[in-house]
Amino acid sequence: MVRDTRPEDMADVLRVRTAGWRAAYRGIVPPAYLGAMDDGPEALTRALRHFRERPADRHHLVAERGGRVVAFAVCGAARATLPLPAEGVRPGELHALYAHPEVWSTGVGSLLLEEARRRLAADGYPSTVLWVLEDNMRARAFYERHGLRPTGSRTLLRLGGARLPELQYGAPVLPAPREAGQAVPASRPGGAGVRRAGGPGAARIAC
């Protein structure tokens, strides 16, 4: 099922983030950067602090299988520091979407993406955008299967001394939002994902 993230989930969220980045970005992100990713006690303390200090309009979601957190997503207002879509209206943004490699192509990423878009619709955003590494073809294919398309906006992400091009994808939000906190049954087919934000675990996405 998909539900809101709780503080006690953060250790699993970090584990999923590290495993997702190392699998999805092998050959894209410098190996030294991936090898240095930390999900230990200090990283957990930082993650808990950031989670508790999150903006009020930010949704943190997790997906469970067999009582275990296997994927997570973060969505909310689009960051003002990045380009807007051509129409110039501030959209909602999928800041992050990651699944553990063990559950790639099982539908978990699709469930999280759908619920994130519904949450943004409930918040009144007319569209959803996200940022994906240009070379992350698996993630790009995932989003395109769900109706998102490149908007034409580009930026550069600097990681580990490398300059990695990112593309903005966008689409209208999904209609008929569920009530916040309502569980979503984990039974639909789906695929992988992608994610982008200001560091590991943002919304470049790996599912």
Side-chain angles (χ1 to χ4, degrees), residues 55-129:
D57 64 355
R58 192 72 58 86
H59 299 281
H60 288 245
L61 306 169
V62 294
E64 287 184 323
R65 284 282 173 88
R68 185 169 66 103
V69 171
V70 295
F72 72 94
V74 180
C75 65
R79 289 162 292 161
T81 55
L82 292 170
L84 288 173
E87 61 269 21
V89 178
R90 180 67 58 188
E93 182 176 350
L94 180 65
H95 297 285
L97 197 173
Y98 288 94
H100 195 283
E102 292 177 355
V103 297
W104 283 4
S105 299
T106 65
V108 168
S110 296
L111 288 170
L112 278 170
L113 178 59
E114 290 175 10
E115 185 63 12
R117 293 173 71 184
R118 290 188 179 101
R119 296 291 181 98
L120 293 174
D123 289 344
Y125 295 106
S127 61
T128 302
V129 297

Side-chain angles (χ1 to χ4, degrees), residues 119-177:
R119 296 291 181 98
L120 293 174
D123 289 344
Y125 295 106
S127 61
T128 302
V129 297
L130 60 90
W131 292 85
V132 57
L133 291 173
E134 186 173 27
D135 289 340
N136 191 347
M137 301 308 297
R138 180 187 182 93
R140 291 175 61 183
F142 168 77
Y143 288 117
E144 289 171 7
R145 287 197 301 274
H146 287 273
L148 288 98
R149 296 291 183 267
T151 66
S153 292
R154 303 171 62 92
T155 188
L156 284 175
L157 174 69
R158 292 171 175 81
L159 285 180
R163 291 161 57 91
L164 306 174
E166 288 189 303
L167 306 178
Q168 186 187 72
Y169 273 56
V173 293
L174 293 182

